[in-house]
Amino acid sequence: MTVEQQPATEAPAAYLERYGQMLLIRLFETEMQRLFLKGEVHGTTHLCAGQEAVPVGVCSALEPDDYLAGTYRGHGHALAKGTDPRSLLAEMLGRATGVCGGRAGSMNVIDVAHGLVGCFGIVGGSIAAATGAAVTAKRQGRVAVAMFGDGATNQGYFHECLNFAKVLALPAVYVCENNFYGEFTPMLKVTGGGDITSRAAAYGIPAQTVDGNDVWAVREAALEAVQRARQGRGPTLLECQTYRHHGHSKADPAKYRPPEEVERWLARDPLNVAKARLAEQGIAEQEIAEVDDAIKARIEDAVQAALAAPYPDPAAENPTEFAP
Amino acid sequence: MSDTLEFRVAIRTAIVEEMERDESVVFFGEDIAAEQGGVFAVTPGIQEIFGAERVFDTPISELAITGAAFGAAVTGLRPIIEIMFGDFMGLSMDSLVNQSAKYWYLSGEQHAAPMVVRSAVGGGGRFGAIHSQTHATWFQGIPGLKIAFPSSPAEAKGLLKAAIRDDNPVIFLEHKRLYSIKGPPPQSAEEVIPLGRANVARPGRDLTIVSVGKGVPDALQAAAQLAENDGIEAEVVDLRTLRPLDLETVLESVARTNRLVAVEEGPATGGWASGLLGLVAEHGLHDLDDAWLLTTGELPIPYSPTLEDAFIPGAEAIASSVRERAGVASAR
């Protein structure tokens, strides 16, 4: 199911940073779960706990001004790209201090200043957004990344845009977070050929299957894809195999997944994989504990700030339909 | 001024002038860079001027073309795309309705999606049901989108220049029966016609005919006939854009004429004309002695010339509808 682990290439401080970024996403999602049950998060939300290594590994290969388009399971995409947890959490809570002023919510976060083109509420939307961002990026020497799930590889967006990017040699990286379920349906049941990586071959696009629970494996693959894009050698598809710890959305207890499958994946929790790697690198437990404390404090601060922030006031809001 | 500007040339000139003016304008679509310059020969030679980085042909992938335009627009370019026939806009829907249109608002006004989506629309060309529709009303109810539908070569040039300069997504409709029409050029080569302001194309005291696109020259022709043969002076209002909708100009006209007919090349149900009449009733009922619609039937557009000609309300149909409503027997 997974490829061999890639060699590590970072200094110890960077190892701790990757771990910390993943922990930030995990704790953010834990808080989202808690706040949803308290009625502070409205509507629905799609948690990415278990999948943290993919956006963190990918974004570690990007420059700050590169572009990323994420999905409705996008809290990790935004945080990995640099969105402030304070403004992201406030957005989830519909507060005026949210990154989009409370207008977007969980599924549609946009953070232009951090190169987050957007998170898209309809499966596959991120693929086109990143493809278009790559048209701009080509002029700028930048790269654009699309994050999407296994379900999106059955959308027209996937096939049209991979072909489009190939024939125009766009600096795009297509990152499939294959968590093996499209909503409630097993990927294999609805995916002709049963293999996502091999789909890229039809478009002459290089592709790789990656252990999506190993942040350094993701980073290694992303570095190669980003370099290819920046050198004008066109797009790459990365299939990062991973697993969500929660159901599809808040309405889904995910009872359709066999318990032994869930157990097997939980044993390969990306945070545990990372911790094992930190130990291999001889990083002291004390140092890890310090990161844990710092991240916990950061999330706690974000939660307190968001809960204290005002809701947007309909009477004071002065939205314009059009940009002036 | 003499009729020296062809509609398709006006479109091409607007694109070239705006690309010269602004480096961030790019242009792509199916066959647009090919030698002929698209199926309606509107854009020949533009790639030669600006190069393949700014002007390029794409695969036949309307979803990818529109989605790519959106992604490029929100990252700093100003794409013009061509979706060959308006009917193909069904494939572009998600990208336009869910992504481009909402970006400005949803992002908390961080950035908009400045892009222009050009398409050939309209019946009368014997193209059949799925190459003849006018897709404006599919999009009219979507906040964040602008919809421009020019009525003449000069209007096409001025409105397209405005659309390219606009920071919002603009759906730009080009009636295929207008491409070969010639008209007077704009007063100044630099003329930009602001989006959202209707134009009184012909003043008159007896009734207001409101339309858009090819409906405007049809209405002008009908108004000339009515003036000459029946002594009826019709005012013709060219809406120019269906969103934003310039209700004010229509209300002012109705205040003068007290009678309104809205002419739409499309069905009455869910059309812009019925929506407009509703708004006029809401805001200008006290000025109204009469108001009605002239639309197509509630059917797909037929192919056969006899069926299609009878289906689309042209100048003759407008003139007879006005006479009938006014209780005037035809003078001829």
Side-chain angles (χ1 to χ4, degrees):
Chain A
M1 188 177 287
T2 55
V3 295
E4 275 183 88
Q5 287 183 346
Q6 301 281 341
T9 55
E10 298 195 282
Y15 274 89
L16 276 170
E17 191 188 334
R18 308 289 163 242
Y19 166 75
Q21 287 169 324
M22 288 197 291
L23 184 64
L24 181 76
I25 297 170
R26 175 67 55 85
L27 295 183
F28 187 94
E29 298 295 58
T30 307
E31 282 304 306
M32 284 294 287
Q33 165 104 330
R34 186 179 71 80
L35 292 165
F36 188 90
L37 295 173
K38 283 185 69 182
E40 292 285 354
V41 180
H42 313 280
T44 190
T45 189
H46 306 76
L47 304 177
C48 72
Q51 304 187 180
E52 297 90 344
V54 185
V56 170
V58 167
C59 290
S60 80
L62 297 177
E63 298 297 327
D65 60 2
D66 287 329
Y67 301 108
L68 186 89
T71 69
Y72 54 85
R73 196 180 306 289
H75 310 153
H77 303 153
L79 291 169
K81 194 67 183 68
T83 300
D84 183 345
R86 273 185 162 221
S87 56
L88 189 65
L89 230 151
E91 186 64 34
M92 306 297 103
L93 270 52
R95 305 304 171 107
T97 54
V99 59
C100 299
R103 291 180 183 178
S106 170
M107 289 193 277
N108 305 297
V109 171
I110 296 164
D111 186 0
V112 171
H114 290 99
L116 184 71
V117 174
C119 293
F120 296 90
I122 293 185
V123 170
S126 58
I127 301 176
T131 302
V135 173
T136 308
K138 193 176 182 181
R139 274 193 180 197
Q140 301 167 320
R142 297 182 191 172
V143 172
V145 177
M147 309 293 292
F148 52 92
D150 44 284
T153 66
N154 294 322
Q155 286 279 35
Y157 270 129
F158 175 82
H159 297 278
E160 288 196 14
C161 289
L162 260 65
N163 181 61
F164 190 97
K166 173 63 182 180
V167 297
L168 293 166
L170 296 180
V173 181
Y174 296 99
V175 180
C176 175
E177 298 175 297
N178 178 7
N179 62 21
F180 295 95
Y181 288 86
E183 303 219 351
F184 313 157
T185 303
M187 184 275 278
L188 285 173
K189 199 174 166 184
V190 291
T191 303
D195 181 47
I196 290 168
T197 300
S198 65
R199 290 185 166 192
Y203 304 112
I205 293 177
Q208 191 182 333
T209 310
V210 183
D211 178 355
N213 279 18
D214 179 348
V215 68
W216 291 284
V218 175
R219 174 179 156 81
E220 197 75 20
L223 281 169
E224 191 186 327
V226 167
Q227 188 184 39
R228 178 177 293 123
R230 241 189 265 288
Q231 288 174 344
R233 292 185 291 130
T236 304
L237 172 69
L238 301 178
E239 179 197 345
C240 300
Q241 299 187 335
T242 184
Y243 206 70
R244 51 172 153 81
H245 287 182
H246 300 278
H248 164 72
S249 68
K250 284 313 302 169
D252 170 26
K255 290 199 172 138
Y256 44 81
R257 302 193 299 191
E260 60 278 10
E261 177 187 290
V262 176
E263 259 173 54
R264 185 155 38 91
W265 278 98
L266 285 177
R268 292 213 72 248
D269 183 321
L271 284 172
N272 293 342
V273 173
K275 274 186 172 168
R277 190 67 68 83
L278 295 178
E280 276 171 33
Q281 294 293 312
I283 294 168
E285 289 208 10
Q286 176 60 27
E287 282 186 84
I288 300 171
E290 280 167 18
V291 171
D292 290 351
D293 290 345
I295 299 295
K296 274 179 203 156
R298 211 169 157 207
I299 289 289
E300 185 55 29
D301 162 72
V303 171
Q304 292 313 322
L307 286 171
Y311 279 99
D313 176 1
E317 274 249 306
N318 192 18
T320 56
E321 181 187 349
F322 296 113
Chain B
M1 232 182 294
S2 58
D3 292 347
T4 55
L5 182 62
E6 190 182 14
F7 192 94
R8 59 163 54 79
V9 175
I11 298 282
R12 184 184 181 281
T13 308
I15 294 171
V16 169
E17 286 178 5
E18 292 306 304
M19 290 193 74
E20 278 169 351
R21 186 178 164 272
D22 184 347
E23 268 283 308
S24 67
V25 179
V26 295
F27 176 36
F28 54 93
E30 296 157 13
D31 295 335
I32 58 100
E35 194 180 344
Q36 193 195 327
V39 285
F40 292 101
V42 178
T43 58
I46 296 187
Q47 189 185 48
E48 282 69 19
I49 303 171
F50 298 103
E53 283 291 309
R54 291 181 68 192
V55 180
F56 51 88
D57 286 328
T58 66
I60 300 175
S61 303
E62 282 81 11
L63 184 59
I65 295 167
T66 318
F70 159 72
V74 299
T75 50
L77 296 183
R78 306 180 79 84
I80 306 166
I81 57 171
E82 181 175 306
I83 299 297
M84 194 179 288
F85 285 81
D87 313 69
F88 306 171
M89 290 285 273
L91 292 157
S92 298
M93 274 277 182
D94 182 48
S95 185
L96 280 167
V97 171
N98 292 319
Q99 299 184 342
S100 313
K102 295 173 177 46
Y103 204 77
W104 170 249
Y105 179 80
L106 272 193
S107 71
E109 304 181 3
Q110 294 173 51
H111 205 288
M115 56 194 272
V116 180
V117 186
R118 298 177 43 236
S119 296
V121 303
R126 321 309 184 205
F127 284 99
I130 304 163
H131 286 70
S132 302
Q133 295 168 94
T134 301
H135 59 272
T137 52
W138 304 354
F139 294 95
Q140 200 193 8
I142 307 299
L145 290 178
K146 295 189 180 184
I147 303 166
F149 195 178
S151 60
S152 74
E155 289 280 324
K157 184 168 179 237
L159 287 169
L160 184 52
K161 284 169 80 80
I164 297 168
R165 292 182 195 189
D166 201 284
D167 275 342
N168 303 281
V170 182
I171 294 176
F172 196 88
L173 292 91
E174 299 166 16
H175 199 293
K176 55 180 85 76
R177 301 297 304 280
L178 293 181
Y179 276 133
S180 298
I181 295 289
K182 286 185 175 175
Q187 307 246 316
S188 140
E190 279 305 299
E191 193 178 8
V192 176
I193 300 172
L195 303 181
R197 278 189 225 154
N199 177 42
V200 178
R202 180 192 200 278
R205 62 174 186 271
D206 296 326
L207 84 154
T208 300
I209 308 174
V210 60
S211 197
V212 69
K214 183 175 174 291
V216 175
D218 289 345
L220 288 169
Q221 202 186 323
Q225 284 179 25
L226 290 165
E228 193 179 324
N229 302 330
D230 308 284
I232 295 172
E233 288 298 331
E235 180 150 303
V236 176
V237 174
D238 177 356
L239 287 172
R240 285 177 167 159
T241 60
L242 293 172
R243 188 176 189 99
L245 187 66
D246 181 1
L247 181 62
E248 204 174 311
T249 296
V250 177
L251 289 172
E252 282 166 9
S253 177
V254 170
R256 289 189 291 272
T257 65
N258 309 118
R259 286 175 173 76
L260 175 67
V261 55
V263 181
E264 176 171 1
E265 190 184 310
T269 307
W272 64 258
S274 59
L276 181 71
L277 251 63
L279 289 168
V280 171
E282 184 187 2
H283 298 279
L285 193 60
H286 52 281
D287 283 325
L288 274 183
D289 290 332
D290 197 6
W292 74 102
L293 299 173
L294 189 57
T295 60
T296 68
E298 303 283 336
L299 286 171
I301 299 161
Y303 159 69
S304 178
T306 53
L307 294 176
E308 189 180 35
D309 289 345
F311 189 76
I312 294 170
E316 287 298 331
I318 299 170
S320 7
S321 171
V322 170
R323 282 191 203 104
E324 189 189 322
R325 201 78 177 194
V328 184
S330 174
R332 286 172 297 164

